[in-house]
Amino acid sequence: MSDYSTRRTMMVDTQVRPSDVTKFPIIEAMLDVPREAYVPDNKREEAYVSENVALGSTRVMLEPRTFAKLLDGLDISPDETVLDIGCGLGYSTAIIARLAEAVVAVEDDAEMAAEAQQTLSSNDVDNAAVIENKLSEGAAKHGPYDVIMIEGGVEVVPAEILAQLKDGGRIGCIFMEDALGVARIGYKIDGDVTWRFAFNASAPVLPGFEAPKGFVL
């Protein structure tokens, strides 16, 4: 049997800490949450690799470095509510639940949403709920949110998502430009979101976050 606890320690020591992620709550959460429980059974041996893990279709679990650096940039506080878009099988939600007061996760794949909720519940994550909905629509009924995290690539962020962010809140995602990607943190001030460069990263573009295609004759 694989020693997943040792793998978690190696992941943090070789992928997370060297990437200048030093906030103790993030480190502690990534050491404790069993990443292998939130991937398909046939992907468990890949759970701690330093690359995105395929979950099915074009969906991935973000690599540990990218995920941790996004969390670091968002600087989630224990009294905040977070919207986790594209939660996959729930790993990101489980980690964020350790940092925030509450998490609302959105997943458009019905089977993934159901499995994520079941796994979160079986791991005693009781301050998170998984909502089945279009990713690009978020979960307005439960908002607005202090923080929004998008678990995948985007070309554009729909106005409907930005509207669910509280004034003074933060949003983090990976903007894809062809094969290259840039992680940015957005800050909402007086109704407008200003984006700041965080680091380079890449991920498949999530459905509903594609740029409109130009009209072609």
Side-chain angles (χ1 to χ4, degrees):
M1 179 179 292
S2 297
D3 185 350
Y4 291 117
S5 177
T6 298
R7 293 190 186 194
R8 280 195 291 280
T9 300
M10 289 181 61
M11 174 190 73
V12 169
D13 287 346
T14 63
Q15 300 179 51
V16 177
R17 293 186 199 270
S19 299
D20 296 324
V21 178
T22 58
K23 292 185 175 70
F24 180 73
I26 298 173
I27 297 294
E28 183 180 40
M30 295 189 77
L31 284 172
D32 289 346
V33 173
R35 188 173 168 92
E36 73 278 1
Y38 296 92
V39 299
D41 288 342
N42 65 347
K43 297 285 186 179
R44 288 194 168 213
E45 292 303 306
E46 301 176 30
Y48 294 95
V49 298
S50 58
E51 57 189 44
N52 297 333
V53 177
L55 299 177
S57 184
T58 60
R59 303 295 299 284
V60 300
M61 174 194 285
L62 293 177
E63 64 169 330
R65 168 192 174 273
T66 297
F67 178 62
K69 286 180 73 66
L70 275 172
L71 288 177
D72 191 66
L74 288 168
D75 196 20
I76 299 167
S77 297
D79 60 348
E80 293 184 315
T81 300
V82 180
L83 176 63
D84 186 25
I85 297 176
C87 70
L89 295 176
Y91 175 74
S92 56
T93 305
I95 295 289
I96 294 169
R98 296 288 193 99
L99 310 176
E101 181 173 17
V103 189
V104 176
V106 179
E107 181 49 62
D108 64 356
D109 183 292
E111 291 185 5
M112 277 193 186
E115 185 173 344
Q117 186 63 74
Q118 181 178 3
T119 306
L120 289 163
S121 297
S122 66
N123 282 275
D124 299 322
V125 182
D126 57 7
N127 62 333
V130 181
I131 308 296
E132 182 192 344
N133 196 22
K134 289 183 179 180
L135 304 184
S136 58
E137 293 180 357
K141 182 173 72 172
H142 304 283
Y145 303 93
D146 300 289
V147 177
I148 297 176
M149 187 163 178
I150 301 176
E151 305 289 340
V154 308
E155 292 176 340
V156 296
V157 179
E160 188 170 357
I161 296 297
L162 297 178
Q164 294 174 40
L165 184 64
K166 287 182 181 179
D167 209 55
R170 293 93 63 209
I171 179 171
C173 57
I174 301 166
F175 285 86
M176 295 302 298
E177 300 169 3
D178 297 321
L180 303 175
V182 174
R184 294 188 175 99
I185 305 296
Y187 301 85
K188 192 171 188 179
I189 302 172
D190 295 331
D192 294 322
V193 175
T194 300
W195 295 94
R196 298 180 187 173
F197 172 85
F199 57 95
N200 294 313
S202 64
V205 175
L206 294 174
F209 291 82
E210 306 92 347
K213 304 302 181 184
F215 179 75
V216 179
L217 290 174

